[in-house]
Coordinates of all heavy atoms in Angstrom, one line a residue:
A127 N 17.4 -0.9 -1.6 CA 17.8 -1.2 -0.3 C 19.0 -0.6 0.2 O 19.2 0.1 1.2 CB 17.9 -2.8 -0.1
L128 N 19.9 -0.6 -0.7 CA 21.3 0.0 -0.4 C 21.1 1.6 -0.3 O 21.7 2.2 0.6 CB 22.3 -0.4 -1.6 CG 23.7 0.2 -1.5 CD1 24.3 -0.4 -0.2 CD2 24.4 -0.1 -2.7
A129 N 20.3 2.3 -1.1 CA 20.2 3.7 -1.1 C 19.4 4.1 0.1 O 19.6 5.2 0.6 CB 19.5 4.1 -2.5
S130 N 18.4 3.2 0.6 CA 17.4 3.7 1.5 C 18.0 3.2 3.0 O 17.5 3.7 4.0 CB 16.1 3.2 1.3 OG 16.1 1.7 1.4
G131 N 19.0 2.3 3.0 CA 19.5 1.9 4.3 C 18.6 0.9 5.0 O 18.7 0.6 6.3
V132 N 17.8 0.2 4.2 CA 16.9 -0.9 4.8 C 17.4 -2.1 4.1 O 18.1 -2.2 3.0 CB 15.4 -0.7 4.7 CG1 15.1 0.5 5.3 CG2 15.1 -0.6 3.2
T133 N 17.0 -3.3 4.6 CA 17.4 -4.6 4.0 C 16.7 -4.9 2.7 O 15.5 -4.4 2.5 CB 17.2 -5.8 4.9 OG1 15.8 -6.0 5.1 CG2 17.9 -5.7 6.3
E134 N 17.2 -5.7 1.8 CA 16.6 -6.2 0.7 C 15.2 -6.9 1.0 O 14.3 -6.7 0.3 CB 17.5 -7.1 -0.2 CG 18.5 -6.4 -0.8 CD 19.6 -7.3 -1.5 OE1 19.1 -8.4 -2.1 OE2 20.8 -7.0 -1.6
K135 N 15.3 -7.6 2.1 CA 14.0 -8.4 2.5 C 13.0 -7.3 2.8 O 11.8 -7.4 2.5 CB 14.5 -9.2 3.7 CG 13.1 -9.9 4.2 CD 13.6 -10.8 5.4 CE 12.3 -11.7 5.8 NZ 12.7 -12.5 7.1
E136 N 13.3 -6.2 3.5 CA 12.3 -5.3 3.8 C 11.6 -4.6 2.7 O 10.5 -4.2 2.5 CB 12.9 -4.2 4.8 CG 13.2 -4.7 6.2 CD 13.9 -3.7 7.2 OE1 14.9 -3.1 6.6 OE2 13.4 -3.5 8.1
V137 N 12.6 -4.3 1.7 CA 12.1 -3.8 0.4 C 11.1 -4.7 -0.3 O 10.0 -4.3 -0.7 CB 13.3 -3.3 -0.5 CG1 12.7 -2.9 -1.9 CG2 14.1 -2.2 0.1
A138 N 11.6 -5.9 -0.4 CA 10.7 -6.9 -1.2 C 9.4 -7.2 -0.4 O 8.4 -7.3 -1.1 CB 11.6 -8.3 -1.3
L139 N 9.4 -7.2 1.0 CA 8.2 -7.4 1.6 C 7.2 -6.2 1.5 O 6.1 -6.4 1.2 CB 8.5 -7.5 3.1 CG 9.0 -8.9 3.5 CD1 9.5 -8.9 5.0 CD2 8.0 -10.0 3.4
F140 N 7.8 -5.0 1.4 CA 7.0 -3.7 1.2 C 6.4 -3.9 -0.3 O 5.1 -3.6 -0.5 CB 7.8 -2.5 1.3 CG 7.1 -1.2 0.8 CD1 5.8 -0.9 1.5 CD2 7.6 -0.5 -0.2 CE1 5.2 0.3 1.0 CE2 6.9 0.6 -0.6 CZ 5.8 0.9 0.0
V141 N 7.2 -4.2 -1.3 CA 6.7 -4.3 -2.6 C 5.5 -5.3 -2.7 O 4.5 -5.1 -3.3 CB 7.9 -4.6 -3.6 CG1 7.2 -4.9 -5.0 CG2 8.7 -3.4 -3.7
A142 N 5.8 -6.5 -2.0 CA 4.7 -7.6 -2.1 C 3.5 -7.1 -1.3 O 2.4 -7.4 -1.8 CB 5.3 -8.8 -1.4
E143 N 3.7 -6.4 -0.3 CA 2.4 -6.0 0.6 C 1.6 -4.9 -0.3 O 0.4 -4.9 -0.4 CB 2.9 -5.3 1.9 CG 3.4 -6.3 2.9 CD 3.9 -5.6 4.1 OE1 3.6 -4.3 4.4 OE2 4.5 -6.1 5.0
F144 N 2.4 -4.0 -1.0 CA 1.8 -3.0 -1.8 C 1.1 -3.7 -2.9 O -0.1 -3.2 -3.2 CB 2.8 -2.1 -2.4 CG 2.1 -0.9 -3.0 CD1 1.7 0.2 -2.3 CD2 2.1 -0.8 -4.4 CE1 1.2 1.3 -3.0 CE2 1.5 0.2 -5.0 CZ 1.0 1.3 -4.3
E145 N 1.6 -4.7 -3.5 CA 0.8 -5.4 -4.6 C -0.3 -6.0 -4.1 O -1.4 -6.1 -4.8 CB 1.9 -6.4 -5.3 CG 1.2 -7.1 -6.4 CD 0.9 -6.2 -7.6 OE1 1.4 -5.1 -7.7 OE2 0.0 -6.5 -8.4
G146 N -0.3 -6.6 -2.9 CA -1.4 -7.3 -2.3 C -2.5 -6.2 -2.1 O -3.7 -6.5 -2.2
I147 N -2.2 -4.9 -1.6 CA -3.2 -3.9 -1.4 C -3.8 -3.7 -2.7 O -5.0 -3.5 -2.8 CB -2.5 -2.8 -0.8 CG1 -2.2 -3.0 0.7 CG2 -3.4 -1.5 -0.9 CD1 -1.2 -2.0 1.3
R148 N -2.9 -3.5 -3.8 CA -3.5 -3.1 -5.1 C -4.5 -4.1 -5.6 O -5.6 -3.9 -5.9 CB -2.5 -3.0 -6.1 CG -1.5 -1.8 -6.0 CD -0.5 -1.6 -7.0 NE -1.1 -1.5 -8.4 CZ -0.4 -2.2 -9.4 NH1 0.7 -2.7 -9.3 NH2 -1.1 -2.1 -10.5

Side-chain angles (χ1 to χ4, degrees):
L128 184 64
S130 64
V132 301
T133 66
E134 290 177 30
K135 181 179 179 179
E136 289 173 311
V137 174
L139 283 172
F140 170 62
V141 170
E143 285 175 17
F144 188 83
E145 185 59 26
I147 291 167
R148 288 178 62 216

